[in-house]
Amino acid sequence: MAGPRVRLVVTADDFGYCPRRDEGIVEAFLAGTVTSVSLLVNGAAAESAAELARRHSIPTGLHANLSEGRPVGPARQGASSLLSREGFFLGKMGFREAVAAGDVALPQVREELEAQLSRFRELLGRAPTHVNGHQHVHVLPGVCQVFAESLQAYGVRFTRLPLERGVSGCAWLEDPARAFACTVEQDARAAVGPFSRHGLCTYRWTDAFVGLSTCGRHMSAHRVLGALARALEGIPADHALTAELMAHPGYPSVPPAGGCGEGPDAFSCSWERLHELRVLTAPTLRAQLAQDGVQLCALDDLESKRPQESPARPLWNASWSLTPP
C-alpha cells in the first residue's frame, strides 16, 4: 500500500503530576515521539503543565482520575463513596474493590468527572482532545456507562479502549502485572457496549492499543514493535491500522513534590519513568518505526488523513481487537 501501514498515536499519561515528570514528557514531545498527552487536573503541577501545553501546542486530553489523591468536585466538601476517611480517593485497587462491591455511588462519579472536565476547560480554555482514565478506571463496570454519557454530552471525540492483543502471553510480565492487564482487558471488552450505545463508536478509539505489556521497565523498541506486529495479525494488507501507545515517560519525582494531593507514588519516583523517556527519545525507536511503515501522528490526524475512506467509518472493528491472540 502507498500510505503507512500503521498510524500511531503515542500518548504520555500523567501530565501535571509533577514538574520533573512534565519536563520529560515535553522533552519526548519535542523529540517527535510523544504526539499527545493526558492531563491530571488534580495533579500538583496541573497549572504549569497547562501552560507548557499552550506554549508548545501539545495536543492535550483529560486523564480522568478517580483513584489517586484528592477530588476537584463536590466530594471535597463532605463525605463521599469515592473517598477514604482521610479525604483521598481509594487507590488503584481500593476503587476497583469498592466498585465491585457496589459501594460506589455512580452519581458521585458523574459529579467528579464533570468537575474534572470543567477544570480542564478552565486550565486550557478548550475541551480536551480525548478523555481516558487514570489506571484505566474509565472501563470499570458501571463507571464506563457514566463516562460514555458524559463524554457524549461534552462532545469529546476520543477515548481509549485498553485491549492489547496477546498481552496474556507476554512472558516478561510479572504475575501481578499480567493479572492486572487481563482484568483491564476484561473490563474494556465489557465497556464496548456502553461506549457504542452512547455514540463512542465512530472515530472514538483506535483500532489497536499498546501499553499494558510495555509499561515502565518492560518498555523497549523491540517490544513496542512486537506489540504492533501482533496487532497487525489478520488485518487486511490494504488497511491502514490506527493504534495508540500508552506511555509514562519523565524524570523521576522527588518527594515531597508531585502527586495528586498526597505526594508522589513509588511508580513516579522510580527509575522506570526515566527508562521510558530514554526509549521514546532514542533515534533507534523512531527509525525502526519508520522502517516498519509506522507513521507517528496525533489523534486529530486520524480523522483528517483517510482520503479513501468514508468519514463515517469507525476506527475500530470488534473482530480485530476482540479475537483471542
Side-chain angles (χ1 to χ4, degrees):
M1 58 187 297
R5 187 72 173 98
V6 179
R7 283 176 295 164
L8 178 66
V9 178
V10 180
T11 304
D13 287 346
D14 299 344
F15 198 45
Y17 195 86
C18 82
R20 286 178 55 81
R21 292 284 301 277
D22 296 345
E23 179 185 353
I25 288 172
V26 172
E27 183 178 320
F29 175 78
L30 295 177
T33 309
V34 163
T35 62
S36 172
V37 301
S38 302
L39 176 68
L40 287 161
V41 297
N42 72 333
E47 292 188 8
S48 59
E51 173 57 31
L52 288 170
R54 289 192 296 269
R55 184 188 312 165
H56 298 290
S57 300
I58 304 174
T60 305
L62 172 65
H63 202 41
N65 184 1
L66 300 173
S67 57
E68 182 179 354
R70 293 192 182 275
V72 301
R76 292 180 67 91
Q77 276 71 54
S80 170
S81 66
L82 305 180
L83 306 179
S84 67
R85 293 180 180 177
E86 293 72 32
F88 297 112
F89 286 131
L90 301 173
K92 177 180 175 178
M93 301 311 297
F95 182 68
R96 283 171 161 75
E97 291 165 1
V99 169
D103 293 336
V104 170
L106 294 180
Q108 293 176 347
V109 170
R110 186 186 307 277
E111 287 181 341
E112 179 61 25
L113 175 58
E114 292 182 352
Q116 292 188 22
L117 284 162
S118 296
R119 179 58 177 155
F120 183 98
R121 185 175 286 278
E122 290 175 4
L123 290 168
L124 273 297
R126 59 166 178 78
T129 58
H130 62 275
V131 175
N132 55 45
H134 185 49
Q135 299 169 340
H136 309 291
V137 297
H138 67 300
V139 295
L140 288 172
V143 176
C144 65
Q145 177 81 15
V146 174
F147 267 75
E149 293 170 358
S150 296
L151 268 57
Q152 183 183 43
Y154 278 75
V156 176
R157 293 180 295 166
F158 289 99
T159 188
R160 171 184 289 164
L161 195 68
L163 283 166
E164 181 177 336
R165 193 170 193 178
V167 71
S168 62
C170 295
W172 59 86
L173 292 177
E174 299 87 350
D175 288 343
R178 187 184 300 109
F180 181 71
C182 291
T183 298
V184 168
E185 290 206 317
Q186 180 180 349
D187 292 334
R189 288 186 175 93
V192 171
F195 282 177
S196 298
R197 285 194 295 274
H198 289 275
L200 300 180
C201 58
T202 303
Y203 290 127
R204 289 306 192 262
W205 56 78
T206 53
D207 298 328
F209 170 82
V210 175
L212 296 173
S213 71
T214 60
C215 189
R217 71 187 71 186
H218 301 302
M219 180 176 281
S220 68
H222 174 73
R223 286 174 177 164
V224 169
L225 291 165
L228 290 172
R230 291 194 302 272
L232 282 167
E233 292 175 4
I235 305 302
D238 61 349
H239 178 81
L241 191 79
T242 63
E244 180 189 15
L245 169 62
M246 175 188 70
H248 301 84
Y251 293 97
S253 301
V254 178
C260 297
E262 50 187 337
D265 62 10
F267 183 66
S268 186
C269 296
S270 76
W271 60 270
E272 296 183 61
R273 309 297 99 244
L274 183 59
H275 173 72
E276 286 200 25
L277 177 61
R278 294 294 180 242
V279 172
L280 291 170
T281 55
T284 306
L285 175 61
R286 296 195 299 278
Q288 289 179 313
L289 288 170
Q291 183 177 337
D292 285 6
V294 179
Q295 180 186 73
L296 295 171
C297 64
L299 281 167
D300 285 346
D301 295 330
L302 302 185
E303 290 185 322
S304 63
K305 295 184 179 179
R306 287 183 173 271
Q308 297 178 344
E309 298 177 23
S310 164
R313 180 197 173 281
L315 288 177
W316 178 84
N317 184 311
S319 66
W320 300 337
S321 294
L322 299 184
T323 49

